[in-house]
Amino acid sequence: MPVYTDAIQQRLRQIETGHQQEVETLKKQVQELRSRLESQCLNSSLRFNGDFGDEVSSVPASESKADPNCLACCSRDFL
């Protein structure tokens, strides 16, 4: 019976190792996507607001807000 138990333990370790690798891969993907989303929202915000320091922008106030579909502000709360 020990051989059977050893085979089960070995298989469980393989499953756990595979799971850990998958978790690490998903963490990296989440980090990359979060970074891309924040960058995209930042670019969107700069496009609307302009990066002109003290200069006055001619963009109406209603358009000067960041993209309303942008989740960068709240993505940290959920991820």
Side-chain angles (χ1 to χ4, degrees):
M1 194 72 166
V3 174
Y4 181 71
T5 304
D6 289 342
I8 292 172
Q9 290 298 320
Q10 182 180 6
R11 180 64 183 132
L12 287 173
R13 283 197 275 309
Q14 288 174 343
I15 292 170
E16 183 180 17
T17 300
H19 174 73
Q20 288 174 345
Q21 289 174 344
E22 186 175 352
V23 167
E24 289 303 315
T25 299
L26 291 171
K27 283 181 180 180
K28 287 177 184 177
Q29 288 175 351
V30 166
Q31 184 178 6
E32 179 183 331
L33 291 172
R34 181 183 293 154
S35 176
R36 288 171 55 193
L37 178 62
E38 289 174 351
S39 175
Q40 182 180 20
C41 289
L42 178 62
N43 289 337
S44 175
S45 178
L46 289 176
R47 183 176 65 235
F48 286 119
N49 292 329
D51 190 15
F52 302 112
D54 292 335
E55 293 181 23
V56 176
S57 175
S58 62
V59 178
S62 62
E63 294 181 17
S64 66
K65 296 178 183 173
D67 184 357
N69 296 320
C70 179
L71 299 176
C73 300
C74 56
S75 65
R76 292 182 192 108
D77 296 336
F78 296 112
L79 300 175

